[in-house]
Amino acid sequence: MGEVLALVEARLRSALGEPDARAAVTFLGTDRIEVLRFIDGDVVRYATLGMSARPMTDPEDALADPVKGPRAELVLSVRAGSAETDKVLRPLAVLASSPQVEGVVVAPGNSMDVGEALWPGAPFTSVLVAESGGLVEDLELGGPMDPVRFLPLLPMTPNEAAWKRVHGAEKLQERWLTQGTDLRDPLRSSVPLT
C-alpha cells in the first residue's frame, strides 16, 4: 500500500511540481486520505493521495480482490483568489474515501455529491468525474494491478447536476464547451440549460 502511494505522489510531483501544502483526513474505519495543494500561476490544484492504495470494488462482488481492480486519485483545479477554495480539503477527502465507505467505483461520467457547498460561497455541491490522462498521466503499476488514473473533477451547480442526470455527462460537457464555460471559476453561475 505504501509503495503504491509513494509512486502516486512521485507522479503528482512530476506532473504538477512541489506541493505547497498538504492536509490529512481519516474517517472512522477508512485509510488516511491526504489532499495535496499545488499552485500553478493563478490556478490552484488539489489532488488526493490515498484513494489508490486499494483497488475499488464493485459492491456486488462477493469478495474484494486486494490486488486487481480500478485505482484512482482525484484532481480539482480552480482559479485562486476569489473564494476560500482551501476549504475544499474535507469535501475532497470525503469523495476520495467513498470507495471504502460506500463501496462505489469512481469512474469518468460519474456524479459525486457532498451534500454541502464545496467551499464557502460555492454554488456547487457536486462534481462530474472527467476522463483521466490529460493533466496527470495514468500510472502503470505492473503485474496484475490496474493503473492508477488521475481523474479530474468538474464542479457542477445543482441545476447542472439535475440536467446531467437526464441528458448524460457527455451532453453536459458539450454544453459547457459550446458556452465557453470557465470550469475553473470557483464562483461561476450555471451554464444556460435550455
Side-chain angles (χ1 to χ4, degrees), residues 156-164 172 190-191 193:
M156 294 188 292
T157 66
N159 285 346
E160 290 168 339
W163 197 86
K164 181 255 175 197
L172 178 59
S190 185
V191 70
L193 298 170

Side-chain angles (χ1 to χ4, degrees), residues 1 8 13 19 27 44 47 49 56 72 75 84 154 160 162 168 182 194:
M1 183 167 107
V8 168
R13 287 173 185 264
F27 302 102
V44 183
L49 179 63
M56 294 181 275
V75 181
E84 290 182 78
L154 308 174
E160 290 168 339
D182 180 3
T194 54

Side-chain angles (χ1 to χ4, degrees), residues 30-174:
T30 67
D31 295 328
R32 172 181 156 128
I33 301 289
E34 288 190 82
V35 179
L36 283 58
R37 183 180 71 187
F38 301 86
I39 306 291
D40 181 13
D42 71 336
V43 175
V44 183
R45 301 187 198 285
Y46 301 94
T48 63
L49 179 63
M51 182 176 166
S52 62
R54 302 172 192 268
M56 294 181 275
T57 306
D58 189 312
E60 296 189 11
D61 291 349
L63 291 172
D65 190 315
V67 177
K68 293 182 188 173
R71 295 175 188 254
E73 296 291 352
L74 308 175
V75 181
L76 173 70
S77 301
V78 292
R79 294 212 186 288
S82 60
E84 290 182 78
T85 56
D86 280 351
K87 303 282 184 176
V88 77
L89 301 178
R90 185 169 175 76
L92 268 181
V94 168
L95 295 176
S97 67
S98 63
Q100 287 183 59
V101 175
E102 299 169 24
V104 298
V105 175
V106 178
N110 289 164
S111 297
M112 301 176 77
D113 196 312
V114 294
E116 62 184 27
L118 292 176
W119 51 81
F124 321 106
T125 61
S126 62
V127 293
L128 174 65
V129 181
E131 291 287 340
S132 67
L135 187 62
V136 183
E137 284 184 39
D138 295 346
L139 172 65
E140 296 294 334
L141 296 175
M145 292 191 282
D146 288 24
V148 176
R149 304 200 185 287
F150 297 88
L151 301 170
L153 300 180
L154 308 174
M156 294 188 292
T157 66
N159 285 346
E160 290 168 339
W163 197 86
K164 181 255 175 197
R165 281 191 293 277
V166 174
H167 300 281
E170 192 175 312
K171 291 288 187 191
L172 178 59
Q173 288 178 299
E174 285 175 17

